[in-house]
Amino acid sequence: YTVGFDINFGLLDETATRGGGEKFLANDTATLLAALSQIITQILDSSQSFTAPTVGVNAFNRTQNLNDLFISMFKPEGVPHWEGNLKKYKLVAGEIVGLDGTTPVVDPATGFFLDTAQSIWAPGADGSDVNRGGAANQQVDPLTRNVYTYLGSYPGTPQPIWVASNNLDKSNAAITDTILNIGAPTDPNRDTLLDWARGADINDIDGDGNINEARFHQGDPLHAQPAAIVYGGTPAVPDVNDTTVYSTTNDGYLHAIDATTGQELWAFVPQELLANLRVAFENDPAIFKGYGLDGDIAFDVIDTNGDGVVDPSDNDKVYLYFGMRRGGFLNFGLDVTNRQQPAIMWAIGSADLPETGHTWGKPIPAKVDIGGTVRRVVFLSGGYDTTQDGNPGYTQDVFGNRIFMVDADTGALLWHAGDQNADLDLPEMVNSIPADLNVLDLNRDGLSDRIYAADTGGSIWRFDIFNGQIGSNLVTGGKIATLGAADLGSPTLADNRRFYNAADVSLNADTNGVFLNIAIGSGYRAHPLDQQAADRFYSLRDYNVFNQLTQNQYNSLTPITDGALVDITGNANPVIPTGAAGWKITFPGEKVLASSQTFNNVTLFTTFTPGAAAGNSCQPSLGTNKLFILSTAGGTPVYNLDGVGSPTALTASDQSTTLAQTGITPEISILFPSPDIVGDNDGDGYPDNWVDTDGDGIPDGPPRPGPVCLVALESCPVNLNNPLVRTYWSQQGASN
């Protein structure tokens, strides 16, 4: 790209031609801004995927994932409405394959799809093109499509959204110009806008003159990871592949997709987002992107008899919970037990939850005993305060510095922490909490008893749930680590480390005993190009694993500070003293923009460095990503990632490896594939891939595939060994 200032146009044209790029003429601030905006948009104008692949859990063997992968895609553009799609692939022998079931579809040089790749729902090669293949191109006729809103109040009991009074259709007189925020002379008329919202090709995108056909487009799922729920067929005919995928998009839709065909069962647009349809329809060039439903979907499947089949006659239930991220302040609860007849249970926001922020964090379903009654609940992080967007220095927040527990069925607020009117008043909780909460059941009694949270001030919080108590006695908590600017008298920009990601908590041990390892990295997620903060990755140790702390103990607790941690930066053989608070790594310009994953005493996380590609400062790039793989307890390298020397003589260069993909990576996915299903071709009465694992001469099952590690579409360059271990249970005093 060549930009010329007050220059002969012929010279500008020749320079651009020889450079192999485009030319822009800029003579003042306005035209320079326009030129740079267009250049950046064109650089970004490629299909991207910032969300981790989604897989279903095998409802008949919950130690395994299904082998179907659902990949969200989008295309950044210089308009509010970005194109999006959902595509289906399969995981075979650790490789992502397409329709033919055998050919890998990911280019190892880029970490993204090959041009020749054909996803499973596509009629031909669709590669990395967001507009080809996928669920978007399985769209049904707009006249028969099931598109709903909900125009009533939220009474806290399930209300059907599939009935005629909620149809998002021009025949529904209850949907007025006021609700749609139209009526100005330049606005689209009501019928045109509603036909477009149902998926009609009103603007004749394909140029065939037919404006009533499906336009085969979806909005973008920029940050929202879909949910794949296995309904399991019927009790008479169980079916492990009977799956529905639920996906949210920034044009404000929740889509329910048949996982076999890719066709949409229905779509839902909350009433609060109907006013956004006009902006997406007009899609005028804009500096700011449009947001609608951009939060991850959490789900709760209640299978009362454990048969793997969602059977309403057994009182089985399926619930969805999701927020809006930058789209707004609401969290939603839906009942999708009958996937053809969805019902809304609740939508709660700033009117219900004191000083809630933008709902970034994923709702966490759980169970808690409140006053002797076990309740199904949902834990919500306080959300994000957008004042963090425009301030590179440290600032306290008005919104989002809370934690909430609500009734899972009604959305009613049951408990919250943070402000002086809360059940738990924490005056030091002054920064927003956009990250997911980490909610644990440490004693495995089916009730949650521990919560960890991280905030934008660089603090880590811990809470203990005293099941059976009520009110202010139900939960105690406080700050256990301060690693950013929140508690510094005069913090610098380098000190202003922010946590946007959930804490990764795992059980570990050293010579001093067991501890809960809290792994988390800092990074300015709202401004990923910022390099003023000295961002770090932390591995903290909470030695009070099973001990619940009283509020007095929390109040007198001295939080772990940045200076108390062992700095292992560039050290392949660090020494972590017994009883130490943990370790840290400091990055030169890198930041952590996704949660880490700990597996089998190994912690994996990614970092992002904005700017030029590694090793070439002149090569344009969307940034460089590294994958770190370290032992959880000691922070030492685990694999020979640089390929140099002996696998047992690891150096500092083995701490990480550079990934092929650019842009911002999602969190790492660790999957447990199901064995391939094969027939009995030799007639011995057993599938041909079954083996004799117990040595009795009788085949007793297929070989168990090893775990698969993915960063978006890119395989981790390691083999995560996870051998089965026989565990014995011994109990004294038990009788037959």
Side-chain angles (χ1 to χ4, degrees), residues 290-310:
Y291 292 92
L293 297 179
D294 197 30
D296 287 346
I297 297 176
F299 61 90
D300 191 9
V301 177
I302 301 173
D303 182 5
T304 54
N305 61 3
D307 65 352
V309 177
V310 176

Side-chain angles (χ1 to χ4, degrees), residues 235-440:
V237 186
D239 182 4
V240 70
N241 295 311
D242 178 22
T243 301
T244 299
V245 184
Y246 296 94
S247 173
T248 55
T249 59
N250 271 312
D251 52 358
Y253 290 66
L254 168 68
H255 300 273
I257 306 294
D258 185 307
T260 300
T261 66
Q263 289 194 342
E264 180 186 83
L265 304 177
W266 50 266
F268 167 63
V269 184
Q271 59 175 307
E272 293 82 3
L273 292 176
L274 293 178
N276 291 2
L277 293 174
R278 175 183 61 82
V279 177
F281 171 78
E282 294 173 340
N283 214 27
D284 294 329
I287 297 175
F288 299 107
K289 190 207 171 312
Y291 292 92
L293 297 179
D294 197 30
D296 287 346
I297 297 176
F299 61 90
D300 191 9
V301 177
I302 301 173
D303 182 5
T304 54
N305 61 3
D307 65 352
V309 177
V310 176
D311 183 4
S313 66
D314 286 337
N315 202 32
D316 293 346
K317 297 289 184 182
V318 181
Y319 299 113
L320 299 183
Y321 304 102
F322 55 91
M324 304 174 73
R325 201 172 168 102
R326 282 196 185 273
F329 298 87
L330 292 173
N331 283 288
F332 295 88
L334 269 66
D335 184 339
V336 292
T337 304
N338 184 334
R339 62 190 131 180
Q340 300 286 359
Q341 298 180 347
I344 189 163
M345 300 186 295
W346 45 263
I348 53 176
S350 54
D352 313 278
L353 308 176
E355 284 74 49
T356 187
H358 279 174
T359 50
W360 281 41
K362 182 166 65 176
I364 308 297
K367 287 183 180 179
V368 173
D369 184 337
I370 304 176
T373 301
V374 175
R375 305 278 294 270
R376 290 181 51 255
V377 303
V378 174
F379 286 100
L380 304 169
S381 56
Y384 183 61
D385 191 326
T386 56
T387 58
Q388 292 285 340
D389 286 350
N391 193 345
Y394 174 71
T395 181
Q396 295 184 357
D397 297 321
V398 175
F399 301 103
N401 49 345
R402 307 283 188 274
I403 288 178
F404 304 103
M405 179 175 67
V406 303
D407 186 282
D409 295 317
T410 68
L413 180 61
L414 301 175
W415 172 91
H416 83 285
D419 61 279
Q420 60 184 359
N421 297 316
D423 300 279
L424 179 56
D425 179 13
L426 295 171
E428 288 186 293
M429 189 174 277
V430 294
N431 289 108
S432 56
I433 304 175
D436 299 351
L437 303 176
N438 197 314
V439 182
L440 306 176

Side-chain angles (χ1 to χ4, degrees), residues 4-19:
F5 302 90
D6 192 22
I7 191 174
N8 177 276
F9 191 79
L11 177 59
L12 175 64
D13 184 63
E14 183 178 356
T15 303
T17 300
R18 293 192 178 189

